[in-house]
């Protein structure tokens, strides 16, 4: 293998081909594809992409639901030497259009769901927003749409993939080249693009190889959407070992022990919200998940009680709490659960996030912006750090220079615990929250709400319920039916970012600085949710 390919993110898949060519690389329901089949198909698609784009290798969007075509599409884009941008076809077209424009997408790989969305993406938005285009009146968007209906759309140049045009091997890349771009929630009302380089990914996965003993016999869960960075852990840890990545359908949670056993799953990775869900559905009985070897959780705070219950259900599994923002390449710290020790050093009943990954430095900043000894905002510097957001204007406030190095300000408050460098998570410093693993900027929700008919102003708060963290909204203006909120918000927000509870107020409560008091609103929301809820879990009350 070319050394530059071996060091690339997709070099991990090539390693899997060598280790276990006939193993399933991916299984989605009744569909599966082996390593050698996926490798050959990705080379065909990569060759077609390179012939179609005007400025290879460019940036390739994979606009597809979770399926074989999406997984091979990611691989094909990487094989072409392109930067891959996973996009969710269920997202509002306006949001997808902005992400494509920000990433400078030069070609698209799509399935039926993505193919059906293209006409709207290439048309002006309902608010007058310009359509996505490639910068010229006669330019067309090259789209590889295998298995989609014959024909094309206006503004689309359909790519034909033929075995005769296959690459002989993946194209070489440089460590500084971006392997993929993921988008996080942005406080300005638009998502922020985060490019992650092949070099950053190589450092990260080298650490995972050293820490874990994954083999071709392992079967990894695939619970995360492909536009969520934790999905990269599943895929490239599995593929680097010749193991199988298995899609977990929503219905599997109803009888998770049976699903895990039937599919001989050995590695589980999900947000902590999965634990109370499985518990409510009766799947966390002691010993219910005996086949799991590894259990990972990330994206939200993991409570000690949830960790203990999962460990009891999966007694042969090593459980780890992983932590890290997208800007630091998937996860940047890990804590291995040990019931007595972990519970003993936990803060507020939350499992520690552990030690920062090797090769990195970290520091804590106090509220005054000065270095703090034991508690403060976590800042990290090292090889997993992104070079910055796609839009440099988004860098302000997130990256800080200190001691001739650039540090990423996570916005998370942590505390040093023990004597071995472990950290405890204390909460967010800003208006960002975690909802089922989603990083959500509350001002982005507020921005979307202000665009709803009848709303003058809006404040979104996060509320802890028995089901996990939920979003609740207080707004001023006229009374807005829930159906109107649902209809208008789904055009601009993904489902995971859409609030469930709405209340109208005559005016917002203010604190001593004459700013909206989110703490009071949060407490009020918690009280109302204790008192009243309709059958859908949504609530709305008149002026108070």
């Amino acid at each position: 293998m070319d050394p530059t390919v071996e060091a690339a993110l997709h070099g991990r898949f090539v390693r899997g081909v060598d280790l276990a060519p006939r193993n399933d690389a991916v299984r989605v329901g009744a569909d599966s594809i082996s390593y050698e089949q996926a490798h050959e198909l990705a080379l065909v698609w990569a060759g077609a992409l390179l012939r179609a784009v005007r400025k290879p290798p460019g940036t390739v969007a994979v606009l597809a639901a979770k399926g074989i075509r999406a997984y091979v599409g990611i691989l094909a884009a990487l094989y072409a030497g392109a930067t891959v941008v996973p996009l969710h076809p269920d997202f509002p077209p306006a949001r997808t259009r902005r992400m494509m424009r920000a990433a400078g997408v030069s070609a698209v790989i799509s399935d039926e769901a993505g193919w059906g969305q293209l006409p709207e993406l290439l048309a002006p938005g309902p608010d007058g927003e310009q359509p996505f285009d490639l910068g010229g009146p006669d330019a067309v968007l090259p789209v590889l749409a295998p298995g989609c209906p014959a024909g094309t759309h206006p503004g689309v140049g359909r790519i034909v993939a033929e075995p005769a045009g296959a690459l002989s091997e993946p194209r070489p890349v440089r460590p500084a080249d971006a392997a993929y771009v993921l988008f996080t929630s942005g406080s300005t009302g638009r998502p922020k693009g985060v490019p992650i380089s092949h070099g950053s990914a190589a450092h990260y996965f080298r650490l995972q190889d050293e820490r874990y003993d994954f083999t071709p016999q392992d079967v990894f869960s695939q619970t995360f959407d492909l536009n969520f960075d934790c999905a990269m852990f599943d895929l490239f840890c599995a593929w680097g070992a010749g193991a199988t990545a298995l899609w977990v359908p929503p219905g599997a949670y109803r009888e998770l022990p049976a699903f895990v056993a039937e599919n001989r799953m050995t590695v589980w990775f999900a947000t902590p919200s999965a634990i109370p869900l499985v518990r409510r559905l009766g799947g966390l009985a002691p010993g219910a998940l005996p086949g799991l070897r590894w259990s990972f959780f990330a994206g939200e705070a993991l409570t000690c009680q949830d960790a203990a219950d999962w460990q009891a259900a999966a007694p042969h599994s090593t459980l780890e709490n992983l932590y890290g923002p997208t800007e630091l390449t998937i996860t940047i710290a890990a804590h291995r659960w040990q019931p007595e020790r972990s519970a003993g050093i936990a803060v507020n009943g939350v499992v520690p996030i552990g030690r920062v990954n090797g090769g990195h430095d970290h520091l804590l900043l106090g509220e005054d912006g000065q270095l703090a000894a034991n508690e403060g905002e976590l800042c990290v510097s090292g090889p997993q750090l992104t070079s910055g957001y796609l839009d440099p204007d988004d860098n302000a406030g997130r990256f800080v220079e200190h001691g001739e190095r650039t540090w990423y300000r996570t916005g998370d408050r942590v505390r040093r615990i023990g004597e071995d460098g472990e950290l405890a998570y204390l909460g967010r410093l800003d208006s960002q929250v975690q909802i089922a693993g989603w990083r959500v900027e509350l001002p982005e929700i507020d921005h979307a709400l202000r665009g709803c008919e009848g709303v003058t102003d809006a404040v979104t708060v996060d509320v802890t319920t028995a089901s996990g963290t939920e979003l609740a909204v207080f707004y001023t203006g006229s009374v807005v039916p829930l159906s109107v909120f649902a209809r208008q918000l789904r055009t601009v927000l993904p489902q995971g970012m859409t609030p469930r509870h709405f209340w109208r107020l005559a005016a917002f409560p203010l604190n001593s600085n004459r700013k909206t008091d989110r703490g009071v609103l949060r407490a009020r929301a918690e009280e109302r949710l204790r008192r009243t809820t309709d059958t859908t879990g949504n609530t709305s009350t008149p002026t108070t």
Side-chain angles (χ1 to χ4, degrees), residues 509-517:
L510 304 178
N511 60 23
S512 58
N513 294 322
R514 307 300 296 168
K515 295 181 179 180
T516 300
D517 197 325

Side-chain angles (χ1 to χ4, degrees), residues 391-464:
D391 184 345
D393 290 343
D394 290 330
N395 292 338
R398 277 298 174 207
F399 297 89
V400 61
E401 302 295 324
H402 181 80
E404 300 183 353
R405 299 184 66 177
T406 299
W407 304 75
Y408 176 70
R409 301 185 62 168
T410 65
D412 291 321
R413 190 162 59 92
V414 302
R415 179 183 301 166
R416 300 190 196 281
I417 52 177
E419 299 179 354
D420 54 1
E422 291 213 80
L423 301 172
Y425 174 78
L426 303 179
R428 291 293 300 173
L429 292 171
D430 54 20
S431 55
Q432 187 184 94
V433 297
Q434 297 275 3
I435 306 293
W438 285 80
R439 284 173 52 188
V440 177
E441 295 274 6
L442 296 182
E444 180 175 4
I445 311 296
D446 298 344
H447 178 80
L449 287 161
R450 294 184 192 108
C452 291
E453 180 182 350
V455 174
T456 302
D457 201 358
V459 174
T460 309
V461 295
D462 56 303
V463 183
T464 301

Side-chain angles (χ1 to χ4, degrees), residues 106-199:
S106 55
V108 172
I109 299 174
S110 77
D111 63 358
E112 290 92 340
W115 181 253
Q117 195 181 80
L118 285 171
E120 194 166 358
L121 292 176
L122 299 176
D127 55 359
E129 181 184 3
Q130 291 299 307
F132 176 81
D133 64 66
L134 292 177
D138 299 322
V140 295
L141 178 67
V143 177
L144 178 62
C148 292
T152 187
H153 299 303
V156 168
R158 189 149 183 178
I159 300 173
V160 177
E162 298 177 342
L167 298 183
S168 59
E169 60 182 8
R171 284 173 56 97
V173 293
R174 299 169 300 175
D177 291 341
Y180 61 84
V181 171
L182 299 178
F183 284 85
T184 68
S185 177
S187 59
T188 60
R190 57 177 175 78
K192 298 186 294 187
V194 183
I196 298 297
S197 72
H198 286 276

Side-chain angles (χ1 to χ4, degrees), residues 261-303:
E262 179 183 351
N263 289 281
R264 298 181 180 179
M265 185 182 294
T266 58
V267 182
W268 175 266
F269 191 14
T271 62
S273 294
I275 300 177
L277 172 61
V278 176
R279 183 191 292 118
R280 289 198 303 275
L281 295 173
L284 276 194
L289 302 166
L292 293 181
R293 297 197 316 115
W294 291 96
S295 296
F296 301 105
F297 295 94
E300 301 169 303
L302 173 65
T303 68

Side-chain angles (χ1 to χ4, degrees), residues 374-394:
N374 296 311
E375 186 174 311
E377 180 184 6
L378 177 62
C379 302
V380 180
S381 182
Q384 289 178 212
L385 177 60
T386 181
S387 59
Y389 297 111
L390 292 181
D391 184 345
D393 290 343
D394 290 330

